[in-house]
Amino acid sequence: QVHMYAPGQFTHQFVHNAFGEQGSKADLIKYPGMIGSEKWDKEMIRKHLKPVRDFQLRHNARIYVGEFSAIAWAPGAADYIRDCIDVFEEYGWDWTYHAFREWNGWSVEHTENPQDNEPAQTDTARKKVLLKYFKRNQR
């Protein structure tokens, strides 16, 4: 079992600090793109998860990604979620999105606005990504 929140600078930006205290929307980190000193995209996700993939192949193990996500207001969060799921599915891994209705920041039912506490009136881009993959599991 593994969690996927790398890179944390992207997935958890402003989780503990409200906008205006230590940053603003202009300071948001975007995916895909340069995060820290590395270019993060689907290939970097694959590279980051290589030790888990190697373990899977070496031991013929089932892998379960128990948590993964990107904070709602992170620019490119839907792309990050899609790229993660693409890699998980390619490798035959089971996965669970974090988290359903736990907090608005992780909720795919809430907008990208951290001050908006009401559910979105339409499906968010993050929710659309999850629904696309959930549909693959229908009987």
Side-chain angles (χ1 to χ4, degrees), residues 6-138:
Q9 308 97 294
F10 170 75
T11 62
H12 282 68
Q13 55 191 309
F14 296 109
V15 168
H16 299 292
N17 300 308
F19 287 108
E21 290 178 16
Q22 290 190 345
S24 67
K25 279 191 140 184
D27 298 322
L28 289 173
I29 298 167
K30 298 170 181 60
Y31 174 91
M34 291 301 293
I35 302 173
S37 62
E38 298 178 303
K39 180 183 176 198
W40 275 86
D41 56 14
K42 189 191 296 188
E43 290 312 308
M44 181 58 83
I45 289 171
R46 196 183 315 280
K47 180 179 175 182
H48 180 79
L49 293 170
K50 185 178 184 324
V52 181
R53 177 66 168 161
D54 291 346
F55 178 90
Q56 175 192 22
L57 296 173
R58 187 170 51 251
H59 298 286
N60 194 28
R62 286 220 39 147
I63 302 298
Y64 170 58
V65 181
E67 292 183 16
F68 76 102
S69 190
I71 200 68
W73 48 80
D79 296 326
Y80 175 84
I81 291 166
R82 182 203 62 234
D83 286 353
C84 283
I85 295 172
D86 279 349
V87 172
F88 304 159
E89 296 275 317
E90 175 185 331
Y91 293 162
W93 297 356
D94 298 311
W95 53 269
T96 302
Y97 176 81
H98 174 85
F100 184 72
R101 294 185 179 163
E102 175 190 83
W103 173 56
N104 298 354
W106 301 120
S107 171
V108 297
E109 295 180 311
H110 287 76
T111 70
E112 293 77 18
N113 180 349
Q115 283 82 36
D116 188 357
N117 292 317
E118 297 300 317
Q121 297 300 309
T122 60
D123 288 345
T124 65
R126 292 165 290 116
K127 183 176 180 180
K128 288 177 183 177
V129 169
L130 291 175
L131 290 173
K132 172 188 161 192
Y133 288 95
F134 291 162
K135 285 181 182 177
R136 293 182 177 183
N137 295 309
Q138 294 180 355

